[in-house]
C-alpha cells in the first residue's frame, strides 16, 4: 500500500510539474503578445513604389519585413535561418539538409503527414525550401483567401516541429533518393569536387547533400541523428537568428497582427551563429588543375578565385562587380569575342559571389560565405581549346593586367557611369516589371536571405544601389586575382583505362590532378604583354535615356495625390474583376489586325503598360526532311552565336530578346522591355542575320557544340521519356537520334548550298503595349520578305492508340552506369472540335483542373507513403492536336514493372478519391487552378484570318462552370472505361 502511494505521489508530482511548465509557457506567450513590438528601419525602395513597406522586431528578436501590395493576387511568406551545412557535425554530413526536410513534416499542433504542403497545393500555391552553407530558407505562396490559415501552419512548424524517430528514418531515405537523382549531374559532381579537394580543415571540405552513407558511420543511427537534430534546432531556430518576410494584399497593420499571432511562440534564445575560422593556409593546392570525367558529354573549363566577402561596411562598394561586368561583355575587343575568334571556346560566362537575382536565388553553394566570395569564369571549350587550355588562362591574366593599367581611361570611366545607370534603371523599374521580380517565392526568400547579413532597410536595394569604387579600390581587388588564390577545373571526355585517377567518395567521381607547367605559372604572374585585339568595350548604343523612367516618376512625385488615385482606381478595377469574373473575361483586350498582306501579317493589342512585347514568327522555305531540318538548325545556331554580343547589349539596355527555333523550321523572336528602342534593336539583329556569311571554322565549332548538347539533352531521363512519348503518339516525328545522326553527316558544303533559301521568308508579328499603328508597320517593314512560296499547314498524323491495350515503349538509359529508372503512363483524351462533351476547350479545362487536384495526392501517395522515388509527378501533354496527361516516377530502388503497377493502381483510384473531395475543397482547387494567358502565337497564323483564337480565355470560362461530377465522369471514361494508354520505360531492366 505504501509503495502504491509513493508511485501515485510521484505521478502526481510529475503531472504538477508538467502543468506548471504549460502554465509558464502560456504566461510567456501572453507576455510576448502583449509586449511592445518595435519598428526598425525605413526601407529603401524605388521612387514610385505603390507598395507599403514596414519592418518590425518581435519581442523574441524575430525581424520581420511586411509588404502590403493590394494588386497581388497571391500572398507569400518566407523565413531564413542563420543555420546551414557549415553547422553539420563532422560525423553527420548533411544533417542540416535533413532538418530542412523535417521542418516540412508538420508540427505537434497539426501533425498530419505533409499537411502544410497539401493545404498550400490545394489552394493554388507552392512551397520551397533550400539549405546552403550558412543559411536555410523556407517559403510558400498561396491565393490570398487562404493565406491566414497557411501562415498559422507555417509559423507552427518553427515553434512546434514534429521531429519523431519514424519521420527521421523515412526522411533519411528521401535524402538518399534525392541524392541519387543528382548523382550523375556534372554541375553537382563538380561542386562536390571543389569541396573534396579544398583543404581538409577548411569549412568548404564537406558533403552537404547527405545520403545513407553519410548517416551510417560509427555510433550514428536514426536515434542519434534525431537527438542531434533536436539540439541543433533548439539552438539555432530562435528569433534572433531568423528573418521573416510577408507579402500580402491585406493592409500592413493586418499583416502585423497575423505575424504577432503566429510567430510570437518562436523561442527568444541566445544567438550562436557559425563563426568562420581564421584560415591562413592555401585553400587549394597551388599549381594544380583538376579534371573531372564528364558523364554528360560536356567539355568546359572553370577558373576560380576566392576574394573578400561582401560585408556590411563594403556592401555599397563592389569593385569585383565591375570586373565581372567587363568579363561578361561579348562585343569586339572583349575576352569572349577574342577567344571565340580563335575557335577555342563557344561561350564565356562569369559570376561573382553575392549576385542575387529575384528570379533565381542561386544554385552554387559556396559563391558567397563569410569566408569569401568565389569569382568564376566558366568557358565551354572546343577540342582545340582543350589542347590550348593554359593559353586560354594566359589571355585571362593578360586581360586582368590590362584592367590594372587602364584605371584612369576615360572610356572606362564612361563605362562605369553606364553600368551604374543600368543598375539604377533596373532598380527603379523593379516593382513595375514582373520579369525582374519573378515569382513571389523566389522574391520573398531572396529578401529574407538578404536580411540575414544586412540591415532590413537594404533588403530590396542591396544588389542595385551600389557603386564600383575608385581606382584604388579596383587595384586592391585585382590583387586577389593571383595564381596562389586560383584553381582550374575541367570537365572532359571519359578517361582512358590506363589514366591515373582519384575517386571522390560520395559521388564516386573519377578525377585527375595535373601539375601545371611552371613556365605557365610564371607567365601568368608576370603577364604584362597585351594582345592588340583585347580592349575595353564601346558604349551601349541601345541604352535608353533617363526619360525612360524618370519622367513618369517625376510626375508621380509632383502629383502624389493623382498617383495615389491612379493606383486606387487600378485596385478597384482588380476588385471588380474578382467580383464579376465573367464580365472581366468578356472585356479582355484582343489583338486587332493592323496589316494583313500577301506575305506578312501584323496584329496589335494596345495596353497602357510600362513595358511592351513584340513577337515574331518567321517562316522559312525549308524541307521537313531530317538533313534539311538540321542544316537549318546549324545555320541558325551560327547566326545566334553571331548575334550574342547584340543580345547582351540589349539585355543591359532593358530589351530582353528570346530567339528560338521550332521543329516546323520556323524562327520565333520575342522582345520584351523598352519599346522606344525596339526598332533600332531589331534593325541591327536583322541586318546581321541577312548579311551573315558562315566560315568553316565557325561551322566546326558550332556543330561540335550542338553534338554535345544533343548528348546532354538525351541522357536526361525525363527529357528522353518525353521524346519517346512524342514519337509514340505522332507519326513522322523526328527523333533526337534521327536529328543527331543527320547532323553528323552534314558538311560545310551542305550549309553553303542552303544559304540562298534563307532569303525566302514570311513573317507574322504580334505587338502588345503602347505602340502606334505606324510604329508597328515600321518595325515589320524591316524584314523585307522575299519569295512567293507555299507554307504547308502543320497536320501531323496521330497514331491510333488501342483502347484498353497499353502501347509500351522501352529504352536503356543513355548513361551506362545510370542507377535510376523512369516509368511513365500516358492517358490520351478525345478531342473532337464539334463535340459538346469532348471539344478541345472542355478537355483543356478538365486536364488543368485534374492536375491541380492530383498534384499533391501523387506526391503524398507515391513519394511519401509508398516511397517509390524522389521525383514523382503529373503533367499535361499537348502536341499537334493530341491531349492527355501522364504520371511518372523516377526511382533508384524499384523495378520498372513494379513502378508501372503502382502508377496504374494510383490512377484507378483517382475517381474514388475525387468522389470523397467535399464541395468546399473542390471549389478551392477550381479557383486555384492556373490557366495561362493567350499568347496569340497560333501555329497556323500565316493562314488564319484572325490572330488570337482566345483558347485560354475560353478555357477559363468553361473551368468556372465545371462541376466535380464532370471531372469524375471524364476520369472514369478516359482512365477506366475506354483508356488509350502509352507506357514509357527507361531503365537497365527493360
Amino acid at each position: 500500500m505504501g509503495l502504491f502511494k509513493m508511485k501515485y505521489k510521484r505521478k502526481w508530482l510529475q503531472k504538477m510539474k508538467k502543468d506548471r511548465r504549460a502554465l509558464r509557457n502560456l504566461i510567456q506567450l501572453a507576455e510576448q503578445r502583449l509586449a511592445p513590438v518595435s519598428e526598425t528601419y525605413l526601407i529603401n525602395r524605388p521612387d514610385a513604389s505603390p507598395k507599403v513597406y514596414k519592418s518590425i522586431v518581435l519581442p523574441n528578436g524575430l525581424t520581420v519585413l511586411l509588404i502590403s501590395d493590394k494588386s497581388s493576387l497571391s500572398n507569400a511568406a518566407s523565413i531564413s535561418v542563420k543555420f546551414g551545412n557549415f553547422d553539420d557535425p563532422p560525423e553527420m554530413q548533411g544533417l542540416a539538409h535533413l532538418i530542412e526536410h523535417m521542418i516540412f513534416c508538420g508540427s505537434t499542433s497539426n501533425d498530419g503527414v505533409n499537411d502544410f504542403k497539401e493545404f498550400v497545393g490545394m489552394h493554388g500555391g507552392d512551397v520551397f525550401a533550400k539549405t546552403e552553407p550558412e543559411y536555410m530558407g523556407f517559403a510558400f505562396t498561396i491565393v490570398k483567401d487562404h493565406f491566414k490559415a497557411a501562415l498559422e501552419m507555417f509559423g507552427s512548424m518553427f515553434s512546434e516541429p514534429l521531429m519523431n524517430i519514424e519521420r527521421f528514418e523515412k526522411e533519411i531515405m528521401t535524402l538518399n533518393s534525392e541524392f541519387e537523382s543528382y548523382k550523375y549531374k556534372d554541375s553537382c559532381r563538380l561542386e562536390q569536387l571543389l569541396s573534396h579537394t579544398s583543404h581538409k580543415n577548411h569549412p568548404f571540405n564537406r558533403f552537404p547533400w547527405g545520403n545513407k552513407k553519410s548517416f551510417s558511420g560509427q555510433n550514428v543511427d536514426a536515434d542519434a541523428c534525431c537527438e542531434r537534430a533536436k539540439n541543433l534546432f533548439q539552438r539555432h531556430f530562435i528569433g534572433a537568428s531568423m528573418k521573416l518576410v510577408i507579402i500580402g494584399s491585406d493592409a500592413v497593420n493586418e499583416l502585423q497582427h497575423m505575424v504577432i499571432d503566429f510567430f510570437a511562440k518562436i523561442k527568444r534564445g541566445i544567438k550562436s551563429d557559425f563563426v568562420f575560422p581564421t584560415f591562413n593556409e592555401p585553400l587549394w593546392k597551388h599549381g594544380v588543375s583538376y579534371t573531372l570525367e564528364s558523364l554528360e558529354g560536356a567539355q568546359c573549363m572553370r577558373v576560380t578565385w576566392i576574394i573578400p566577402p561582401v560585408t556590411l561596411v563594403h556592401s555599397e562598394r563592389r569593385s569585383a562587380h565591375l570586373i565581372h561586368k567587363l568579363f561578361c561583355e561579348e562585343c569586339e575587343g572583349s575576352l569572349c569575342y577574342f577567344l571565340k575568334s580563335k575557335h577555342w571556346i563557344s561561350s564565356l560566362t562569369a559570376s561573382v559571389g553575392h549576385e542575387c537575382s529575384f528570379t533565381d536565388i542561386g544554385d552554387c553553394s559556396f559563391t558567397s560565405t563569410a569566408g569569401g566570395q568565389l569569382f568564376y569564369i566558366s568557358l565551354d571549350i572546343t577540342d582545340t581549346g582543350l589542347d590550348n587550355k593554359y593559353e586560354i588562362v594566359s589571355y585571362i591574366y593578360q586581360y586582368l593586367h590590362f584592367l590594372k593599367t587602364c584605371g584612369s581611361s576615360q572610356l572606362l570611366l564612361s563605362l562605369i557611369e553606364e553600368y551604374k545607370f543600368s543598375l539604377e534603371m533596373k532598380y527603379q523599374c523593379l516593382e513595375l516589371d514582373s520579369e525582374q521580380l519573378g515569382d513571389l517565392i523566389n522574391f520573398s526568400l531572396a529578401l529574407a536571405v538578404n536580411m540575414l547579413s544586412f540591415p532590413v532597410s537594404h533588403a530590396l536595394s542591396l544588389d542595385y544601389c551600389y557603386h564600383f569604387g575608385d581606382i584604388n579600390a579596383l587595384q586592391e581587388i585585382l590583387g586577389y586575382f593571383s595564381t596562389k588564390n586560383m584553381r582550374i577545373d575541367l570537365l572532359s571526355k571519359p578517361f582512358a583505362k590506363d589514366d591515373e585517377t582519384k575517386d571522390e567518395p560520395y559521388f564516386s567521381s573519377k578525377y585527375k590532378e595535373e601539375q601545371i607547367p611552371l613556365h605557365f605559372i610564371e607567365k601568368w604572374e608576370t603577364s604584362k604583354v597585351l594582345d592588340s585585339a583585347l580592349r575595353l568595350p564601346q558604349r551601349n548604343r541601345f541604352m535608353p535615356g533617363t526619360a525612360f523612367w524618370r519622367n513618369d516618376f517625376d510626375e508621380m512625385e509632383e502629383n502624389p495625390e493623382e498617383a495615389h488615385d491612379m493606383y486606387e482606381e487600378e485596385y478597384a478595377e482588380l476588385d471588380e474583376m474578382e467580383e464579376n469574373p465573367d464580365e472581366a473575361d468578356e472585356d479582355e483586350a484582343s489583338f486587332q489586325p493592323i496589316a494583313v498582306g500577301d506575305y506578312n501579317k501584323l496584329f496589335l493589342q494596345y495596353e497602357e503598360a510600362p513595358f511592351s512585347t513584340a513577337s515574331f514568327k518567321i517562316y522559312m522555305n525549308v524541307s521537313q526532311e531530317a538533313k534539311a531540318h538540321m542544316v537549318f538548325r546549324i545555320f541558325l545556331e551560327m547566326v545566334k552565336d553571331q548575334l550574342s554580343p547584340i543580345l547582351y547589349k540589349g539585355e543591359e539596355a532593358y530589351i530582353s530578346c528570346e530567339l528560338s527555333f521550332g521543329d516546323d523550321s520556323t524562327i520565333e523572336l520575342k522582345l520584351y522591355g523598352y519599346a522606344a528602342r525596339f526598332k533600332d534593336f531589331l534593325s541591327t539583329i536583322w541586318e546581321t542575320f541577312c548579311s551573315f556569311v558562315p566560315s568553316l571554322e565557325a561551322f566546326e565549332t558550332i556543330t561540335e557544340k550542338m553534338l554535345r548538347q544533343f548528348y546532354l539533352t538525351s541522357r536526361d531521363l525525363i527529357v528522353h521519356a518525353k521524346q519517346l512519348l512524342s514519337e509514340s503518339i505522332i507519326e513522322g516525328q523526328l527523333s533526337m537520334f534521327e536529328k543527331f545522326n543527320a547532323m553528323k553527316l552534314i558538311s560545310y558544303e551542305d550549309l553553303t548550298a542552303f544559304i540562298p533559301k534563307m532569303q525566302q521568308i514570311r513573317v507574322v508579328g504580334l505587338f502588345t503595349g503602347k505602340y502606334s499603328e505606324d510604329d508597328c508597320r515600321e518595325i515589320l517593314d524591316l524584314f523585307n520578305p522575299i519569295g512567293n512560296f507555299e507554307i504547308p499547314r502543320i497536320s501531323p498524323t496521330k497514331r491510333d492508340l488501342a483502347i484498353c491495350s497499353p502501347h509500351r515503349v522501352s529504352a536503356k538509359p543513355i548513361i551506362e552506369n545510370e542507377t535510376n529508372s523512369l516509368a511513365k503512363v500516358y492517358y490520351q483524351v478525345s478531342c473532337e472540335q464539334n463535340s459538346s462533351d469532348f471539344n478541345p476547350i472542355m478537355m483543356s479545362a478538365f486536364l488543368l483542373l485534374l492536375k491541380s487536384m492530383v498534384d499533391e495526392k501523387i506526391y503524398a501517395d507515391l513519394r511519401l507513403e509508398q516511397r517509390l522515388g524522389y521525383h514523382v509527378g503529373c503533367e499535361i501533354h499537348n502536341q499537334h492536336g493530341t491531349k492527355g496527361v501522364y504520371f511518372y516516377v523516377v526511382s533508384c530502388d524499384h523495378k520498372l514493372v513494379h513502378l508501372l503497377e503502382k502508377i496504374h493502381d494510383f490512377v484507378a483510384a483517382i475517381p474514388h478519391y475525387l468522389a470523397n473531395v467535399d464541395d468546399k475543397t473542390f471549389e478551392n482547387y477550381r479557383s486555384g487552378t492556373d490557366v495561362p494567358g493567350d499568347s496569340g502565337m497560333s501555329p497556323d497564323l500565316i493562314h488564319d484570318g484572325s490572330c488570337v483564337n482566345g483558347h485560354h480565355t475560353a478555357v477559363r470560362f468553361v473551368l468556372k462552370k465545371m462541376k466535380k461530377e464532370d471531372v469524375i465522369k471524364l476520369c472514369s471514361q478516359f482512365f477506366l472505361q475506354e483508356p488509350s494508354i502509352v507506357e514509357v520505360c527507361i531503365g537497365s531492366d527493360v
Side-chain angles (χ1 to χ4, degrees):
M1 192 69 174
L3 182 60
F4 173 78
K5 285 184 178 180
M6 288 178 64
K7 288 183 177 179
Y8 179 80
K9 185 175 181 180
R10 189 180 300 116
K11 288 183 179 180
W12 180 80
L13 288 172
Q14 289 174 346
K15 184 177 183 300
M16 287 292 293
K17 288 180 180 179
K18 185 177 180 180
D19 290 343
R20 285 175 183 171
R21 283 197 300 269
L23 182 60
R24 280 199 303 270
N25 290 337
L26 286 172
I27 293 172
Q28 182 182 9
L29 178 59
E31 289 174 346
Q32 288 176 339
R33 289 182 174 176
L34 293 173
V37 174
S38 60
E39 296 190 24
T40 56
Y41 305 90
L42 292 173
I43 308 301
N44 300 334
R45 53 186 170 170
D47 296 339
S49 172
K51 301 174 184 176
V52 178
Y53 289 81
K54 184 179 182 180
S55 65
I56 60 173
V57 178
L58 300 187
N60 58 11
L62 178 65
T63 302
V64 186
L65 174 60
L66 306 168
I67 305 175
S68 176
D69 179 8
K70 291 185 179 181
S71 66
S72 179
L73 299 179
S74 294
N75 291 6
S78 64
I79 199 161
S80 59
V81 187
K82 197 72 171 175
F83 168 74
N85 303 134
F86 283 167
D87 296 286
D88 281 342
E91 72 279 10
M92 297 180 186
Q93 298 283 297
L95 186 58
H97 189 189
L98 182 58
I99 292 172
E100 172 216 304
H101 278 241
M102 290 302 303
I103 296 296
F104 271 139
C105 287
S107 62
T108 55
S109 61
N110 194 9
D111 58 0
V113 175
N114 204 43
D115 52 353
F116 174 71
K117 192 174 188 298
E118 185 176 352
F119 180 82
V120 171
M122 184 190 304
H123 299 99
D126 199 6
V127 302
F128 178 73
K130 68 177 303 184
T131 301
E132 293 294 338
E134 294 182 315
Y135 73 86
M136 199 176 285
F138 305 84
F140 78 93
T141 181
I142 195 170
V143 294
K144 58 186 180 182
D145 292 341
H146 300 278
F147 179 62
K148 187 172 183 178
L151 191 65
E152 182 176 10
M153 297 169 70
F154 189 60
S156 67
M157 296 190 311
F158 300 100
S159 55
E160 304 165 336
L162 183 67
M163 288 195 178
N164 56 44
I165 186 63
E166 293 81 11
R167 292 303 306 167
F168 261 93
E169 290 174 339
K170 290 180 178 180
E171 289 307 316
I172 287 174
M173 298 308 297
T174 300
L175 271 191
N176 191 69
S177 296
E178 181 179 352
F179 168 72
E180 289 292 332
S181 70
Y182 293 111
K183 187 175 180 179
Y184 300 104
K185 293 188 179 296
D186 281 346
S187 58
C188 299
R189 297 168 62 247
L190 195 60
E191 184 173 328
Q192 182 57 29
L193 178 64
L194 183 147
S195 298
H196 176 67
T197 54
S198 295
H199 192 285
K200 64 179 182 179
N201 295 326
H202 194 279
F204 280 9
N205 193 306
R206 61 190 57 247
F207 174 63
W209 278 271
N211 64 359
K212 286 191 295 187
K213 180 177 180 179
S214 68
F215 294 115
S216 60
Q218 188 176 4
N219 300 323
V220 176
D221 54 23
D223 287 302
C225 288
C226 183
E227 194 61 34
R228 181 65 70 91
K230 288 179 180 178
N231 292 337
L232 287 171
F233 180 89
Q234 293 294 326
R235 181 180 178 188
H236 293 282
F237 282 68
I238 59 174
S241 296
M242 303 169 76
K243 309 295 178 184
L244 174 66
V245 173
I246 304 290
I247 303 174
S249 55
D250 296 294
V252 71
N253 289 337
E254 180 60 30
L255 297 176
Q256 179 173 322
H257 290 319
M258 292 186 207
V259 168
I260 294 172
D261 286 343
F262 304 146
F263 292 88
K265 289 190 290 184
I266 291 176
K267 287 176 51 181
R268 180 193 296 270
I270 299 174
K271 192 174 181 181
S272 57
D273 297 339
F274 173 82
V275 178
F276 208 95
T278 302
F279 199 82
N280 297 319
E281 298 180 63
L283 175 55
W284 305 300
K285 293 180 182 178
H286 181 237
V288 171
S289 66
Y290 302 91
T291 303
L292 181 68
E293 183 179 45
S294 174
L295 298 181
E296 298 179 335
Q299 191 164 273
C300 60
M301 179 167 69
R302 190 172 71 184
V303 186
T304 308
W305 297 267
I306 187 164
I307 62 176
V310 175
T311 63
L312 180 59
V313 177
H314 299 105
S315 63
E316 295 182 1
R317 189 192 72 185
R318 304 192 196 174
S319 302
H321 283 62
L322 172 59
I323 302 170
H324 166 252
K325 286 278 189 184
L326 292 168
F327 271 120
C328 286
E329 289 280 358
E330 298 186 35
C331 60
E332 189 172 355
S334 67
L335 182 66
C336 177
Y337 187 94
F338 175 78
L339 294 176
K340 278 186 175 182
S341 69
K342 286 184 168 290
H343 306 288
W344 288 354
I345 70 168
S346 57
S347 69
L348 182 153
T349 58
S351 65
V352 55
H354 191 95
E355 188 190 1
C356 178
S357 167
F358 291 128
T359 56
D360 179 10
I361 55 177
D363 295 324
C364 187
S365 296
F366 302 114
T367 52
S368 183
T369 68
Q373 303 177 86
L374 296 186
F375 191 110
Y376 291 114
I377 296 178
S378 299
L379 310 102
D380 288 323
I381 55 178
T382 64
D383 290 339
T384 308
L386 184 62
D387 294 336
N388 292 276
K389 58 189 177 187
Y390 295 137
E391 288 293 349
I392 292 175
V393 180
S394 297
Y395 284 114
I396 291 174
Y397 271 98
Q398 275 194 36
Y399 198 75
L400 286 167
H401 179 74
F402 165 63
L403 295 181
K404 291 180 182 179
T405 61
C406 67
S408 57
S409 162
Q410 283 300 120
L411 178 55
L412 179 60
L413 296 176
S414 66
L415 285 171
I416 290 173
E417 289 302 313
E418 182 181 283
Y419 294 153
K420 285 171 63 178
F421 173 77
S422 179
L423 279 172
E424 184 181 5
M425 175 177 62
K426 290 176 181 178
Y427 175 62
Q428 293 297 344
C429 297
L430 185 61
E431 294 189 344
L432 304 173
D433 184 6
S434 59
E435 297 286 329
Q436 274 204 83
L437 289 182
D439 60 68
L440 280 178
I441 279 189
N442 274 331
F443 176 52
S444 62
L445 187 51
L447 294 176
V449 171
N450 285 349
M451 290 162 58
L452 282 174
S453 302
F454 303 94
V456 63
S457 58
H458 289 54
L460 191 65
S461 63
L462 180 64
D463 294 293
Y464 295 92
C465 299
Y466 62 83
H467 58 85
F468 298 107
D470 55 20
I471 302 305
N472 292 331
L474 177 62
Q475 297 290 341
E476 179 184 345
I477 202 69
L478 283 168
Y480 288 94
F481 289 79
S482 70
T483 60
K484 295 179 181 179
N485 201 32
M486 174 196 74
R487 70 175 280 141
I488 298 174
D489 294 281
L490 294 110
L491 274 170
S492 74
K493 302 171 184 176
F495 298 146
K497 291 183 178 180
D498 56 349
D499 284 348
E500 185 178 338
T501 62
K502 295 184 177 182
D503 291 323
E504 188 283 320
Y506 290 101
F507 282 77
S508 302
S509 301
K510 291 188 178 298
Y511 70 96
K512 294 190 293 188
E513 291 185 3
E514 178 180 288
Q515 288 294 325
I516 301 170
L518 184 60
H519 71 274
F520 274 112
I521 296 176
E522 293 174 347
K523 182 179 179 180
W524 301 339
E525 289 175 344
T526 59
S527 180
K528 292 185 179 180
V529 177
L530 180 70
D531 192 286
S532 59
L534 291 171
R535 56 183 180 273
L536 291 173
Q538 295 300 309
R539 297 288 301 268
N540 189 344
R541 66 187 180 90
F542 304 119
M543 192 67 69
T546 56
F548 170 37
W549 48 270
R550 282 182 178 160
N551 286 350
D552 291 340
F553 295 166
D554 290 343
E555 288 177 12
M556 292 179 183
E557 289 177 358
E558 291 171 9
N559 303 287
E561 293 182 2
E562 291 182 16
H564 181 269
D565 292 342
M566 181 184 71
Y567 287 119
E568 288 298 319
E569 287 174 10
E570 290 180 1
Y571 298 148
E573 288 175 8
L574 284 168
D575 293 338
E576 187 177 342
M577 287 171 65
E578 289 182 7
E579 293 172 6
N580 304 288
D582 295 345
E583 293 180 16
D585 286 342
E586 292 173 6
D587 294 339
E588 188 169 324
S590 60
F591 285 90
Q592 302 299 320
I594 303 302
V596 181
D598 293 334
Y599 295 109
N600 289 352
K601 292 188 176 184
L602 169 64
F603 302 89
L604 170 63
Q605 185 181 52
Y606 185 85
E607 287 184 0
E608 284 287 343
F611 305 103
S612 303
T613 61
S615 301
F616 302 92
K617 193 155 191 173
I618 303 170
Y619 296 81
M620 298 288 184
N621 188 15
V622 179
S623 166
Q624 296 301 301
E625 180 263 332
K627 184 175 180 180
H629 176 78
M630 291 314 299
V631 171
F632 172 71
R633 291 293 296 267
I634 291 170
F635 179 84
L636 291 180
E637 284 291 345
M638 294 176 72
V639 174
K640 191 173 180 179
D641 184 68
Q642 187 79 4
L643 290 172
S644 186
I646 301 170
L647 301 184
Y648 177 79
K649 289 291 190 183
E651 194 74 37
E652 288 295 295
Y654 226 115
I655 305 174
S656 65
C657 179
E658 296 178 14
L659 185 62
S660 58
F661 317 124
D663 281 342
D664 55 348
S665 298
T666 57
I667 304 173
E668 291 191 13
L669 181 64
K670 183 176 180 179
L671 272 63
Y672 171 83
Y674 182 42
R677 287 285 192 271
F678 278 10
K679 182 182 177 182
D680 186 26
F681 185 70
L682 273 172
S683 175
T684 306
I685 286 178
W686 197 243
E687 285 174 11
T688 304
F689 184 93
C690 294
S691 61
F692 176 68
V693 178
S695 66
L696 175 60
E697 293 83 0
F699 168 78
E700 292 172 345
T701 299
I702 293 300
T703 51
E704 183 183 322
K705 174 185 176 181
M706 290 178 67
L707 288 169
R708 288 200 189 96
Q709 287 176 336
F710 264 109
Y711 179 78
L712 173 60
T713 303
S714 63
R715 53 83 53 201
D716 184 277
L717 291 179
I718 293 176
V719 175
H720 190 185
K722 187 174 182 179
Q723 179 69 25
L724 292 174
L725 176 60
S726 296
E727 294 166 21
S728 300
I729 60 180
I730 302 294
E731 291 183 2
Q733 182 85 0
L734 289 177
S735 71
M736 286 190 296
F737 300 104
E738 287 175 318
K739 296 175 185 177
F740 181 80
N741 291 329
M743 188 165 60
K744 288 193 294 186
L745 300 175
I746 293 170
S747 66
Y748 178 64
E749 288 70 27
D750 293 326
L751 180 69
T752 54
F754 170 77
I755 291 175
K757 296 181 181 180
M758 295 301 299
Q759 303 303 317
Q760 296 179 318
I761 65 166
R762 305 272 292 277
V763 180
V764 174
L766 304 179
F767 296 81
T768 303
K770 292 194 291 186
Y771 297 96
S772 70
E773 294 185 9
D774 289 341
D775 290 337
C776 297
R777 288 192 182 94
E778 287 179 7
I779 290 175
L780 195 65
D781 287 344
L782 295 171
F783 292 98
N784 294 323
I786 301 173
N788 186 15
F789 61 95
E790 182 66 22
I791 298 174
R793 290 179 180 269
I794 302 169
S795 53
T797 305
K798 304 173 189 176
R799 267 185 218 282
D800 293 327
L801 299 178
I803 295 176
C804 300
S805 178
H807 170 71
R808 181 177 296 182
V809 55
S810 303
K812 295 278 188 182
I814 303 299
I815 297 179
E816 292 183 5
N817 56 351
E818 174 72 74
T819 57
N820 291 296
S821 299
L822 180 145
K824 172 189 287 189
V825 182
Y826 166 79
Y827 293 82
Q828 193 169 89
V829 301
S830 296
C831 276
E832 302 167 15
Q833 192 67 45
N834 299 319
S835 169
S836 59
D837 295 325
F838 306 128
N839 63 72
I841 292 173
M842 172 66 77
M843 291 299 98
S844 293
F846 159 64
L847 292 173
L848 287 167
L849 181 53
L850 175 69
K851 174 174 165 53
S852 175
M853 297 186 73
V854 303
D855 260 344
E856 293 307 318
K857 181 67 175 172
I858 194 171
Y859 180 89
D861 281 10
L862 301 189
R863 176 178 161 179
L864 294 183
E865 186 176 332
Q866 300 186 49
R867 314 198 73 77
L868 296 180
Y870 181 72
H871 288 297
V872 302
C874 161
E875 297 294 341
I876 297 170
H877 186 91
N878 297 331
Q879 185 180 18
H880 297 319
T882 64
K883 290 185 183 291
V885 60
Y886 61 78
F887 307 85
Y888 71 93
V889 177
V890 178
S891 175
C892 61
D893 300 316
H894 299 279
K895 297 289 186 182
L896 285 165
V897 174
H898 178 71
L899 296 176
L900 288 174
E901 179 184 340
K902 293 300 180 181
I903 293 174
H904 282 295
D905 289 345
F906 173 82
V907 174
I910 287 177
H912 177 72
Y913 158 69
L914 296 177
N916 290 319
V917 173
D918 61 67
D919 292 341
K920 183 178 179 182
T921 302
F922 175 77
E923 177 54 36
N924 290 335
Y925 277 123
R926 187 172 64 179
S927 61
T929 299
D930 183 38
V931 180
D934 281 308
S935 69
M937 193 57 81
S938 155
D940 202 24
L941 273 178
I942 200 72
H943 299 288
D944 251 332
S946 63
C947 175
V948 178
N949 56 30
H951 176 80
H952 292 115
T953 302
V955 169
R956 281 195 291 272
F957 181 79
V958 170
L959 183 63
K960 290 167 188 168
K961 308 295 183 182
M962 189 166 279
K963 299 177 182 178
K964 183 175 74 171
E965 292 73 20
D966 299 329
V967 182
I968 295 173
K969 178 184 175 182
L970 292 170
C971 280
S972 297
Q973 175 159 350
F974 295 122
F975 295 168
L976 303 180
Q977 299 167 13
E978 301 176 357
S980 297
I981 299 172
V982 177
E983 298 174 341
V984 179
C985 301
I986 304 176
S988 58
D989 60 328
V990 297

